[in-house]
Amino acid sequence: MAVRAVERWWRKTSTRRWRSRGRPVLALVVSGLLAVLSGLGSRHPGVAVLVIGPVLACTRLDARHTAAVAASSLLLALGAGAASGLMVTPGFAIEFLVLLVGGTLAVRDAARHTADAAALARATAVAQASQNAILRPMSVELGGIEVCARHRCAVQGASVCGDLYDVVHTPYGVRLLIGDVRGHDLDALRATTATIGAFKDLAYLTPGLADLATALDARLAPELEAEEFVTAVLAEFAPGEVRIVNCGHPAPVRAGKQIRLLEPLEPAPPLGLHPKPQLYRFYLTSGDRLLFYTDGLSEARDANGADFPLLERVGDALAALSPSDALDTLYAMVAAHTGRAPTDDIALALCRPTSVVAPAPAARPPNPAAHREP
């Protein structure tokens, strides 16, 4: 609700700002016409053209400085009128009135612009704080799974990002969600909040991981706009294996004795587009690490347009003893590949089983549609 209120406020503020900008522009046009008409029959230029000063000032300066420019224009007009002996003429009075009204509107517009900018800064700070509370960096151990996750927003000036992640310890095992919402700023924050909230609600209540993805899609569909969707990977850890449902998201990487993508046989569309997800099961052995990520990592391009060689580099990065150091190393590798800071949002979640035993029989009837790694 708070996010929607900020959205409504921003749209209302934007409309009001454009209306207030229209008044000084109208004053500028009118004063320019009056100045031209006045100058047609006289050797002296019309003083109303001096309104250009405060009108231009209000686009960049605050109310106090705009008022100083407007006052200077008025004094200059009075001086020009006194020097030319035109102060008592009706034409000068009309132009001076236009200059006065135009300067007043410019000062008022500058004051509103300053207030709107301050209010936007406060709203942005609140949105950023909200995202930091939702997507807090984490380093925890739950149910025998060590999880380290973090995100970075790469869009300059964007208050929030579209990436998301969360992890919960449920009666069905440790479950992890990582996803990517289409878009940025308040729309992304709204969809991110809805996705994580739905995951927290449903992860404890839905036994099957594929059923969880279906329930998430049903919960999110009414919340998303017509062109919005959420790519996502759901993972569930069990003794000796990880179960994965992928809805249009980059496949996670398992790094250990071998490095491979844990890809689905049949890709499913993202959440919000009514996927029919399949469950896939992959073995875990001692020393394996699982990297979940968003496409800001796999699609980071260098100057020649080449994607980041994820499978070639991830083994070296994840060899670090500390998961936090491993993620820092991976970020540094991406920055070195692109030659600059990454230009897309990146969310990473690194998972490592602290103990691995042979897969145990499932506590519930296995999903007959599940695919197991050969």
Side-chain angles (χ1 to χ4, degrees):
M1 293 298 294
V3 173
R4 293 185 183 277
V6 172
E7 288 182 298
R8 289 193 298 269
W9 167 84
W10 174 241
R11 293 191 182 101
K12 181 179 179 181
T13 299
S14 300
T15 302
R16 184 180 65 190
R17 184 169 64 252
W18 282 111
R19 288 176 180 173
S20 63
R21 290 301 173 101
R23 287 191 290 267
V25 170
L26 180 60
L28 176 62
V29 173
V30 172
S31 61
L33 291 175
L34 290 174
V36 171
L37 293 175
S38 176
L40 290 178
S42 172
R43 292 177 300 173
H44 304 285
V47 296
V49 76
L50 294 175
V51 80
I52 292 176
V55 167
L56 294 179
C58 77
T59 63
R60 294 290 183 181
L61 304 179
D62 58 18
R64 183 168 61 89
H65 291 91
T66 302
V69 174
S72 299
S73 298
L74 291 173
L75 292 176
L76 185 59
L78 289 174
S84 60
L86 299 176
M87 292 187 62
V88 296
T89 62
F92 179 85
I94 293 175
E95 292 191 51
F96 188 82
L97 179 62
V98 170
L99 177 59
L100 179 63
V101 173
T104 301
L105 291 176
V107 172
R108 184 180 179 184
D109 180 70
R112 285 187 171 180
H113 175 68
T114 302
D116 289 347
L120 177 59
R122 291 193 296 270
T124 300
V126 170
Q128 184 65 64
S130 299
Q131 187 189 45
N132 290 339
I134 296 170
L135 290 183
R136 65 195 184 282
M138 65 173 63
S139 183
V140 297
E141 183 175 341
L142 299 172
I145 305 297
E146 185 179 9
V147 181
C148 183
R150 64 183 64 171
H151 80 286
R152 291 187 180 179
C153 189
V155 178
Q156 296 296 324
S159 58
V160 292
C161 309
D163 294 350
L164 60 95
Y165 55 76
D166 197 20
V167 61
V168 293
H169 192 188
T170 75
Y172 315 108
V174 176
R175 287 179 164 177
L176 178 139
L177 164 71
I178 188 166
D180 190 353
V181 175
R182 184 178 184 270
H184 293 85
D185 293 325
L186 295 177
D187 286 336
L189 178 58
R190 174 179 50 78
T192 296
T193 304
T195 304
I196 293 179
F199 174 71
K200 287 183 178 295
D201 290 343
L202 298 171
Y204 293 93
L205 304 175
T206 312
L209 197 64
D211 294 334
L212 174 58
T214 301
L216 282 173
D217 176 74
R219 176 77 68 89
L220 291 176
E223 299 286 338
L224 300 176
E225 301 292 340
E227 297 182 356
E228 287 183 328
F229 55 82
V230 182
T231 68
V233 164
L234 294 168
E236 177 182 282
F237 292 89
E241 70 175 15
V242 60
R243 301 160 186 159
I244 291 178
V245 170
N246 192 324
C247 297
H249 197 79
V253 176
R254 184 184 61 192
K257 295 180 180 179
Q258 294 182 337
I259 297 175
R260 62 165 294 187
L261 292 173
L262 305 185
E263 297 180 289
L265 297 177
E266 298 180 5
L271 300 177
L273 301 181
H274 309 300
K276 296 180 179 179
Q278 295 291 325
L279 177 69
Y280 296 87
R281 304 169 68 182
F282 301 92
Y283 288 112
L284 293 177
T285 59
S286 179
D288 283 350
R289 291 188 175 191
L290 294 179
L291 177 68
F292 300 85
Y293 56 93
T294 54
D295 59 8
L297 175 69
S298 56
E299 297 181 3
R301 294 181 173 86
D302 62 13
N304 297 321
D307 289 338
F308 178 68
L310 179 62
L311 293 181
E312 298 176 14
R313 308 298 302 278
V314 72
D316 295 334
L318 301 189
L321 295 178
S322 165
S324 179
D325 291 341
L327 295 187
D328 288 339
T329 301
L330 196 54
Y331 277 125
M333 287 181 173
V334 174
H337 174 75
T338 60
R340 60 189 184 280
T343 57
D344 196 6
D345 311 334
I346 299 178
L348 301 176
L350 182 59
C351 301
R352 182 179 69 89
T354 55
S355 61
V356 177
V357 296
R364 56 185 180 274
N367 184 351
H371 299 269
R372 187 153 199 164
E373 179 182 27

PDB file of all heavy atoms in Angstrom, residues 48 51 62 90-91 162 164 231 254 319 323 334 359 372:
ATOM      1  N   ALA A  48       9.156  44.039 -21.560  1.00  0.00           N
ATOM      2  CA  ALA A  48       8.573  42.760 -21.145  1.00  0.00           C
ATOM      3  C   ALA A  48       9.474  41.584 -21.494  1.00  0.00           C
ATOM      4  O   ALA A  48       9.378  40.516 -20.885  1.00  0.00           O
ATOM      5  CB  ALA A  48       7.201  42.579 -21.785  1.00  0.00           C
ATOM      6  N   VAL A  51      11.472  39.308 -18.965  1.00  0.00           N
ATOM      7  CA  VAL A  51      10.951  38.159 -18.224  1.00  0.00           C
ATOM      8  C   VAL A  51      11.705  36.880 -18.576  1.00  0.00           C
ATOM      9  O   VAL A  51      11.605  35.866 -17.854  1.00  0.00           O
ATOM     10  CB  VAL A  51       9.447  37.998 -18.488  1.00  0.00           C
ATOM     11  CG1 VAL A  51       9.210  37.306 -19.822  1.00  0.00           C
ATOM     12  CG2 VAL A  51       8.770  37.211 -17.368  1.00  0.00           C
ATOM     13  N   ASP A  62      16.713  27.876  -7.190  1.00  0.00           N
ATOM     14  CA  ASP A  62      15.637  27.805  -6.207  1.00  0.00           C
ATOM     15  C   ASP A  62      14.866  29.110  -6.188  1.00  0.00           C
ATOM     16  O   ASP A  62      15.160  30.063  -6.933  1.00  0.00           O
ATOM     17  CB  ASP A  62      16.194  27.464  -4.821  1.00  0.00           C
ATOM     18  CG  ASP A  62      17.237  28.483  -4.348  1.00  0.00           C
ATOM     19  OD1 ASP A  62      17.284  29.594  -4.903  1.00  0.00           O
ATOM     20  OD2 ASP A  62      17.991  28.152  -3.408  1.00  0.00           O
ATOM     21  N   PRO A  90       0.898  54.068 -21.530  1.00  0.00           N
ATOM     22  CA  PRO A  90       0.135  52.822 -21.289  1.00  0.00           C
ATOM     23  C   PRO A  90       0.886  51.565 -21.730  1.00  0.00           C
ATOM     24  O   PRO A  90       0.807  50.523 -21.080  1.00  0.00           O
ATOM     25  CB  PRO A  90      -1.139  53.024 -22.111  1.00  0.00           C
ATOM     26  CG  PRO A  90      -1.262  54.501 -22.284  1.00  0.00           C
ATOM     27  CD  PRO A  90       0.142  55.030 -22.358  1.00  0.00           C
ATOM     28  N   GLY A  91       1.621  51.673 -22.823  1.00  0.00           N
ATOM     29  CA  GLY A  91       2.349  50.504 -23.312  1.00  0.00           C
ATOM     30  C   GLY A  91       3.376  50.013 -22.300  1.00  0.00           C
ATOM     31  O   GLY A  91       3.522  48.809 -22.069  1.00  0.00           O
ATOM     32  N   GLY A 162      15.340  -4.640  -9.890  1.00  0.00           N
ATOM     33  CA  GLY A 162      14.334  -5.639 -10.188  1.00  0.00           C
ATOM     34  C   GLY A 162      14.687  -7.039  -9.738  1.00  0.00           C
ATOM     35  O   GLY A 162      13.902  -7.957  -9.931  1.00  0.00           O
ATOM     36  N   LEU A 164      15.603 -10.144  -7.030  1.00  0.00           N
ATOM     37  CA  LEU A 164      15.072 -10.529  -5.714  1.00  0.00           C
ATOM     38  C   LEU A 164      15.585 -11.905  -5.332  1.00  0.00           C
ATOM     39  O   LEU A 164      15.976 -12.707  -6.183  1.00  0.00           O
ATOM     40  CB  LEU A 164      13.542 -10.519  -5.719  1.00  0.00           C
ATOM     41  CG  LEU A 164      12.848 -11.449  -6.720  1.00  0.00           C
ATOM     42  CD1 LEU A 164      12.470 -12.783  -6.067  1.00  0.00           C
ATOM     43  CD2 LEU A 164      11.601 -10.789  -7.298  1.00  0.00           C
ATOM     44  N   THR A 231      10.887 -13.713 -13.808  1.00  0.00           N
ATOM     45  CA  THR A 231      11.632 -14.950 -13.998  1.00  0.00           C
ATOM     46  C   THR A 231      12.095 -15.441 -12.634  1.00  0.00           C
ATOM     47  O   THR A 231      12.449 -14.638 -11.768  1.00  0.00           O
ATOM     48  CB  THR A 231      12.841 -14.742 -14.919  1.00  0.00           C
ATOM     49  OG1 THR A 231      13.804 -13.907 -14.265  1.00  0.00           O
ATOM     50  CG2 THR A 231      12.418 -14.081 -16.229  1.00  0.00           C
ATOM     51  N   ARG A 254      26.287 -25.697 -10.659  1.00  0.00           N
ATOM     52  CA  ARG A 254      26.845 -26.552  -9.612  1.00  0.00           C
ATOM     53  C   ARG A 254      28.340 -26.665  -9.847  1.00  0.00           C
ATOM     54  O   ARG A 254      28.786 -27.105 -10.910  1.00  0.00           O
ATOM     55  CB  ARG A 254      26.203 -27.933  -9.640  1.00  0.00           C
ATOM     56  CG  ARG A 254      26.682 -28.859  -8.504  1.00  0.00           C
ATOM     57  CD  ARG A 254      26.076 -30.234  -8.645  1.00  0.00           C
ATOM     58  NE  ARG A 254      26.470 -30.872  -9.899  1.00  0.00           N
ATOM     59  CZ  ARG A 254      25.899 -31.984 -10.371  1.00  0.00           C
ATOM     60  NH1 ARG A 254      24.911 -32.557  -9.728  1.00  0.00           N
ATOM     61  NH2 ARG A 254      26.313 -32.498 -11.515  1.00  0.00           N
ATOM     62  N   ALA A 319      36.236 -21.076  -5.641  1.00  0.00           N
ATOM     63  CA  ALA A 319      37.257 -21.811  -4.903  1.00  0.00           C
ATOM     64  C   ALA A 319      37.639 -21.121  -3.601  1.00  0.00           C
ATOM     65  O   ALA A 319      38.291 -21.726  -2.749  1.00  0.00           O
ATOM     66  CB  ALA A 319      38.495 -21.994  -5.772  1.00  0.00           C
ATOM     67  N   PRO A 323      32.290 -17.989   1.435  1.00  0.00           N
ATOM     68  CA  PRO A 323      31.287 -17.656   0.416  1.00  0.00           C
ATOM     69  C   PRO A 323      31.233 -16.171   0.102  1.00  0.00           C
ATOM     70  O   PRO A 323      31.045 -15.777  -1.056  1.00  0.00           O
ATOM     71  CB  PRO A 323      29.982 -18.154   1.045  1.00  0.00           C
ATOM     72  CG  PRO A 323      30.402 -19.228   1.992  1.00  0.00           C
ATOM     73  CD  PRO A 323      31.725 -18.777   2.538  1.00  0.00           C
ATOM     74  N   VAL A 334      33.552  -9.994 -13.136  1.00  0.00           N
ATOM     75  CA  VAL A 334      32.601  -9.395 -14.071  1.00  0.00           C
ATOM     76  C   VAL A 334      33.034  -7.973 -14.439  1.00  0.00           C
ATOM     77  O   VAL A 334      32.991  -7.581 -15.615  1.00  0.00           O
ATOM     78  CB  VAL A 334      31.181  -9.387 -13.469  1.00  0.00           C
ATOM     79  CG1 VAL A 334      30.217  -8.634 -14.377  1.00  0.00           C
ATOM     80  CG2 VAL A 334      30.684 -10.802 -13.257  1.00  0.00           C
ATOM     81  N   PRO A 359      20.847 -39.519  -0.660  1.00  0.00           N
ATOM     82  CA  PRO A 359      19.443 -39.108  -0.696  1.00  0.00           C
ATOM     83  C   PRO A 359      18.569 -40.086   0.073  1.00  0.00           C
ATOM     84  O   PRO A 359      18.681 -41.299  -0.075  1.00  0.00           O
ATOM     85  CB  PRO A 359      19.106 -39.114  -2.188  1.00  0.00           C
ATOM     86  CG  PRO A 359      20.425 -38.949  -2.871  1.00  0.00           C
ATOM     87  CD  PRO A 359      21.420 -39.648  -2.001  1.00  0.00           C
ATOM     88  N   ARG A 372      15.070 -36.754 -12.874  1.00  0.00           N
ATOM     89  CA  ARG A 372      16.249 -36.909 -12.046  1.00  0.00           C
ATOM     90  C   ARG A 372      17.489 -36.924 -12.916  1.00  0.00           C
ATOM     91  O   ARG A 372      17.503 -37.494 -14.016  1.00  0.00           O
ATOM     92  CB  ARG A 372      16.181 -38.184 -11.222  1.00  0.00           C
ATOM     93  CG  ARG A 372      17.316 -38.307 -10.226  1.00  0.00           C
ATOM     94  CD  ARG A 372      16.912 -39.146  -9.048  1.00  0.00           C
ATOM     95  NE  ARG A 372      17.803 -38.889  -7.932  1.00  0.00           N
ATOM     96  CZ  ARG A 372      17.534 -39.229  -6.689  1.00  0.00           C
ATOM     97  NH1 ARG A 372      16.391 -39.784  -6.398  1.00  0.00           N
ATOM     98  NH2 ARG A 372      18.389 -38.990  -5.728  1.00  0.00           N
TER      99      ARG A 372
END
